[in-house]
């Protein structure tokens, strides 16, 4: 697939093509500029519309084999699409599913699409850091025992902050209850490719996983893999679910980049993961030498994750972030107490060491009075579900003031982003505490995503 893409882009660059097909830019760069350079359509580009599926099937089979799965699809719409495809691949309308409430909003909308009824499970929160651990196996066991008609267990693992659960224990629990374990491993495409890394979800016994090739691997933005074993999941249903919301015009550049990332992992994954492990270990060690700074570490944390804890320095994460953006090193996330850069296998040790020094200098410039870390609303939310998410999504709604919204049922999903965990979701009771928590995020400079009114003056509620 990569070879076909390279071939296509060479021909396009040489002006050898006069396509009488989409895309509408026809490989010309004199219309909208070079923003379309390298845009090779998958169908009718990498191969003819009739035959490109052969390339796709071969590429996906190579990935399935690398991850030990027997079904794989490449998505050009991120883990967002993968999560929704997997939600559509299990159960029937109205059936219960065990799922962690610290889920990414894409999966919550997957439950809306599929009409699944969530039974929420929650991770333990570390009182020292305010951050979530993985979800405990006994927690899921209890949920399955109390909801024997549930059709699957969905877990996000690693969590956004890199904490991990006992996935093998979860797989055994789910299988003992006769249901599949499905894992949103959006951040974990590199796991399993070095002996010092935890196994990936499929190797740990999960029946399916979604992962963003564009997050942990050097694939094009939006590239994601959906992988499954088909003992407990039906391959034809998986395909139908995947196709239901995937574009019919995938870009070949993204598809080829997923194949290329797979090839890189197969060839050099161990060496690149070893370098990343060394770089992150050195960064953690160096950061720990700075008074007041701490990092997440230990057996419950994915070892290539760098989560920097600032509370002991008194520095505000947003001020630190602004400095490192000015230094040309934007990070994935920062809030008051945390800075989360995303080191990947593309980073070498020197780059990570340089970033670490820039980060330390920024922290030093913004030191203040040490404080106790506060747990973000995304991790502590304990919703009261009044209506199934799908019913609430389609119900008639009205807009009311924040004061009048308290005690009403939310029609909308509202999530501080990142991490994109909904603090309010369709069908959930709007409480004063939820509004207060969202206002705190906004007041502190955080982004409130997906709200009809991001100022939080009004809310969309289910009409009476
Ligand atoms: C846990 C989790 N799942 C899914 C997604 C969606 O991934 P993508 O951006 O590839 O659609 C994200 C995005 O950050 C995420 O954090």
């Amino acid at each position: 697939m990569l070879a076909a893409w390279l071939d296509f882009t060479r021909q396009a660059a040489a002006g050898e093509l006069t396509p009488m097909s989409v895309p509408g830019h026809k490989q010309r760069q004199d219309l909208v500029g070079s923003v379309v350079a390298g845009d090779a359509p998958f169908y009718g580009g990498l191969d003819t519309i009739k035959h490109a599926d052969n390339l796709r099937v071969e590429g996906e089979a190579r990935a399935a084999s690398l991850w030990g799965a027997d079904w794989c699809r490449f998505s050009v719409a991120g883990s967002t699409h993968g999560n929704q495809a997997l939600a559509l691949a299990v159960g029937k309308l109205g059936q219960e599913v065990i799922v962690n409430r610290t889920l990414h909003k894409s999966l919550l909308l997957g439950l809306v699409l599929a009409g699944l009824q969530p039974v929420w499970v929650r991770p333990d929160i570390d009182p020292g850091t305010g951050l979530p651990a993985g979800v405990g196996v006994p927690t899921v066991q209890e949920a399955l025992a109390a909801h024997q008609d549930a059709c699957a267990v969905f877990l996000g693992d690693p969590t956004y902050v890199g904490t991990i659960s006992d996935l093998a224990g979860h797989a055994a629990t789910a299988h003992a209850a006769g249901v599949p374990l499905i894992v949103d491993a959006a951040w974990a495409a590199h796991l399993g490719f070095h002996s010092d890394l935890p196994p990936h979800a499929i190797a740990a016994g999960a029946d399916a996983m979604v992962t963003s090739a564009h997050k942990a691997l050097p694939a094009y933005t939006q590239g994601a893999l959906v992988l499954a074993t088909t003992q407990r999941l039906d391959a034809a249903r998986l395909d139908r679910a995947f196709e239901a919301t995937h574009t019919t015009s995938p870009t070949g550049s993204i598809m080829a980049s997923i194949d290329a990332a797979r090839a890189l992992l197969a060839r050099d994954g161990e060496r690149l993961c070893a370098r990343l492990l060394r770089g992150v270990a050195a960064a953690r060690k160096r950061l720990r030498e700075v008074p007041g700074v701490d990092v997440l570490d230990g057996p419950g944390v994915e070892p290539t994750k760098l989560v920097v804890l600032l509370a002991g320095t008194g520095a505000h994460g947003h001020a630190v972030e602004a400095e490192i953006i000015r230094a040309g090193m934007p990070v994935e996330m920062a809030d008051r107490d945390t800075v989360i850069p995303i080191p990947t296998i593309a980073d070498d040790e020197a780059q990570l060491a340089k970033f670490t020094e820039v980060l330390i200098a920024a922290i030093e410039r913004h030191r203040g009075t040490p404080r106790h870390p506060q747990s973000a609303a995304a991790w502590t939310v304990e919703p009261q579900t009044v209506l199934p998410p799908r019913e609430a999504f389609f119900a008639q709604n009205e807009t009311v003031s924040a004061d009048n919204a308290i005690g009403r049922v939310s029609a909308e999903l509202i999530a501080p982003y990142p991490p994109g965990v909904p603090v309010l979701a369709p069908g959930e009771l709007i409480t004063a505490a939820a509004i207060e928590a969202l206002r705190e995020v906004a007041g502190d400079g955080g982004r409130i995503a997906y709200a009809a009114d991001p100022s939080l003056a009004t809310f969309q509620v289910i009409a009476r």
Side-chain angles (χ1 to χ4, degrees):
M1 193 182 300
L2 177 62
W5 181 76
L6 288 170
D7 211 29
F8 181 89
T9 47
R10 187 199 51 74
Q11 281 181 295
E16 290 167 15
L17 301 168
T18 320
M20 281 299 141
S21 60
V22 291
H25 58 66
K26 306 282 178 117
Q27 307 305 325
R28 286 176 56 174
Q29 289 181 39
D30 59 332
L31 300 170
V32 292
S34 59
V35 285
V36 293
D39 176 31
F42 187 70
Y43 295 105
L46 266 51
D47 205 341
T48 62
I49 289 182
K50 293 188 187 65
H51 296 130
D53 267 340
N54 298 341
L55 280 178
R56 176 182 70 70
V57 169
E58 285 164 16
E60 290 168 343
R62 286 191 289 270
S65 157
L66 185 65
W67 269 271
D70 54 32
W71 181 93
C72 173
R73 294 297 306 265
F74 291 174
S75 175
V76 299
S79 288
T80 295
H81 167 241
N83 272 334
Q84 295 175 355
L86 289 172
L88 287 166
V90 296
K92 51 183 193 242
L93 205 59
Q95 203 169 358
E96 286 185 325
V97 63
I98 314 295
V99 54
N100 62 300
R101 183 54 179 76
T102 43
L103 80 180
H104 186 254
K105 71 100 187 173
S106 59
L107 180 55
L108 202 140
L109 270 311
L111 303 181
V112 168
L113 290 173
L116 294 173
Q117 172 67 27
V119 173
W120 298 124
V121 287
R122 296 168 42 75
D124 294 330
I125 304 295
D126 177 343
T129 62
L131 296 174
V135 175
V137 172
T139 306
V140 172
Q141 260 163 355
E142 269 169 41
L144 280 168
H147 298 270
Q148 299 202 352
D149 288 338
C151 63
V153 175
F154 274 78
L155 294 176
D157 198 90
T159 65
Y160 187 81
V161 295
T163 43
I164 47 179
S165 331
D166 170 11
L167 280 187
H170 281 303
T173 299
H175 297 165
V179 298
L181 170 67
I182 297 179
V183 178
D184 173 0
W187 295 97
H190 60 305
L191 290 196
F193 291 94
H194 188 283
S195 54
D196 290 346
L197 289 171
H200 57 69
I202 297 286
D207 299 275
M209 68 179 252
V210 56
T211 190
S212 296
H214 71 94
K215 292 194 195 301
L217 304 181
Y220 220 101
T221 297
Q222 294 178 208
L225 293 133
V226 193
L227 295 140
T229 57
T230 52
Q231 209 182 329
R232 292 173 194 82
L233 293 166
D234 175 44
R237 168 88 181 262
L238 282 162
D239 272 319
R240 281 202 295 282
F242 182 94
E243 291 294 352
T245 52
H246 201 223
T247 176
T248 49
S249 313
T251 170
S253 338
I254 299 179
M255 299 287 273
S257 77
I258 302 171
D259 191 41
R262 184 273 320 153
L264 181 75
L265 262 189
R267 195 189 61 204
D268 287 335
E270 194 175 355
R271 180 180 64 77
L272 293 171
C273 287
R275 181 178 74 171
L276 177 61
L277 283 158
R278 284 195 305 274
V280 172
R284 285 181 178 179
K285 182 165 178 287
R286 174 75 183 99
L287 284 159
R288 277 237 172 82
E289 290 163 7
V290 179
V293 175
D294 204 355
V295 291
L296 278 197
D297 211 345
V301 183
E302 200 273 89
T304 68
K305 195 82 186 176
L306 193 53
V307 176
V308 186
L309 308 172
L310 295 178
T313 68
H316 193 301
H318 289 157
V320 172
E321 180 187 30
E323 290 254 355
I324 45 189
I325 289 174
R326 276 197 292 279
M329 296 182 148
V331 291
E332 161 73 19
M333 180 193 161
D335 61 15
R336 193 189 70 165
D337 295 331
T338 339
V339 174
I340 307 185
I342 305 288
T344 74
I345 58 171
D347 293 302
D348 63 27
E349 286 161 275
Q351 250 162 307
L352 277 175
K354 183 172 167 207
F355 168 77
T356 305
E357 295 310 322
V358 169
L359 175 62
I360 291 170
I363 294 170
E364 292 302 351
R365 270 194 289 280
H366 294 281
R367 269 191 187 281
T369 310
R371 53 177 188 265
H372 193 72
Q374 201 181 15
S375 197
W379 313 134
T380 52
V381 58
E382 279 195 58
Q384 294 175 53
T385 304
V386 181
L387 286 178
R390 183 182 174 91
E391 196 180 324
F393 188 89
F394 291 109
Q396 212 181 347
N397 64 74
E398 58 188 345
T399 304
V400 298
S401 71
D403 283 347
N404 290 334
I406 296 168
R408 301 287 298 272
V409 178
S410 182
E412 58 184 337
L413 182 152
I414 306 182
Y417 213 109
V421 174
V423 166
L424 274 177
E428 291 178 357
L429 192 71
I430 302 179
T431 60
I435 295 181
E436 186 48 36
L438 287 167
R439 281 190 175 146
E440 247 176 61
V441 176
D444 206 30
R447 172 184 160 216
I448 301 294
Y450 316 116
D453 175 1
S455 80
L456 302 172
T458 61
F459 286 79
Q460 306 256 290
V461 301
I462 306 296
R464 284 195 170 122

